[in-house]
Amino acid sequence: IGEVAAGYASGALTLEQAVKLIFHRSRVQFKATDKGRMLAIGVSHEKAKEIIKGREDKVQVGAVNAPNMVALSGNTDTIEEIAAEMNEQDIFHRLLVVNVPFHSHHMEPLKEELLESLGADWKTVPSKIPFYSTVEGKVVPGEELDPLYWFRNVREAVLFTDAVSAQIADGFDTFIELGPHPIHAIGINELLKAKKTKGIVLASLRR
């Protein structure tokens, strides 16, 4: 949901739009409660694609949070099957404490209701601050943050590493993670190290 806050901070969304978006996004996604699970695995995006090959209709890559950390999302039995495989191969993995399989095929049935809830009169304006999208993994103009974009934000994988890589390439070297406890700081530091770039990564809060 940080991407919605970013949309507001960039100037593309009004505060009313941001609140409306978060409300309906959460309300609609709640309907997928207990439809599946999510699993964090310590592998690259490419390796994750190999792991789910042949099972793409049951599980998808839900997020790419670091060069070697992804989250899979999908049917509970398939997620548990993959967790068992990772255990046998001694690959780091952890079932996430969520009861909604975000960014998976279970979001598809929610599309029309979300689009309708946001309304046909939804309009955004050009960003005042560059908006780095985790849907596209690059800068997206504010006027393109339409309802369909926000459904893609719900349905498609979170390309966090691509978005941060784009920021690093554009010269950003200071990152502040806003949240109750840092979960992306390690990934950002790994990206800075991989790109041989000096940077600072701070957390707003820690447990």
Side-chain angles (χ1 to χ4, degrees):
I1 296 181
E3 184 134 320
V4 181
Y8 168 63
S10 76
L13 303 180
T14 65
L15 181 58
E16 182 178 338
Q17 283 177 314
V19 172
K20 181 178 182 179
L21 177 54
I22 288 176
F23 172 77
H24 287 298
R25 186 183 194 272
S26 300
R27 179 185 63 78
V28 172
Q29 285 184 318
F30 182 75
K31 295 186 176 185
T33 298
D34 296 330
K35 297 282 187 183
R37 298 292 303 274
M38 295 186 73
L39 176 72
I41 306 181
V43 297
S44 68
H45 191 186
E46 291 306 311
K47 177 64 176 177
K49 290 178 183 177
E50 291 178 19
I51 291 171
I52 67 172
K53 191 172 183 180
R55 300 181 275 199
E56 293 93 340
D57 59 329
K58 299 176 182 177
V59 64
Q60 294 93 47
V61 175
V64 185
N65 294 321
N68 288 293
M69 183 59 66
V70 304
L72 302 183
S73 183
N75 297 0
T76 299
D77 56 349
T78 309
I79 287 289
E80 291 176 347
E81 180 181 279
I82 293 172
E85 292 170 7
M86 297 302 98
N87 197 49
E88 290 176 4
Q89 297 174 39
D90 199 25
I91 295 174
F92 170 84
H93 62 286
R94 178 177 296 155
L95 284 166
L96 301 183
V97 186
V98 295
N99 55 4
V100 174
F102 301 106
H103 309 290
S104 76
H105 60 283
H106 291 292
M107 300 294 104
E108 285 292 343
L110 312 176
K111 180 178 181 179
E112 294 308 316
E113 184 174 354
L114 180 61
L115 296 181
E116 187 177 325
S117 296
L118 297 181
D121 59 346
W122 180 277
K123 294 286 188 296
T124 53
V125 297
S127 307
K128 296 176 182 176
I129 299 171
F131 176 86
Y132 285 81
S133 163
T134 60
V135 177
E136 295 284 353
K138 62 183 181 181
V139 173
V140 169
E143 53 269 41
E144 293 183 13
L145 303 183
D146 58 12
L148 185 57
Y149 173 86
W150 292 110
F151 171 71
R152 292 180 62 207
N153 174 267
V154 165
R155 170 65 181 90
E156 297 179 18
V158 180
L159 303 179
F160 179 77
T161 54
D162 286 358
V164 174
S165 292
Q167 291 177 322
I168 294 171
D170 287 343
F172 291 95
D173 61 3
T174 304
F175 299 86
I176 304 174
E177 181 170 357
L178 302 178
H181 190 71
I183 58 172
H184 291 299
I186 293 175
I188 298 172
N189 277 314
E190 285 181 4
L191 282 170
L192 288 167
K193 185 177 180 181
K195 295 178 181 298
K196 298 179 179 178
T197 301
K198 290 185 179 180
I200 298 171
V201 184
L202 304 171
S204 65
L205 289 169
R206 291 182 183 277
R207 281 198 295 269

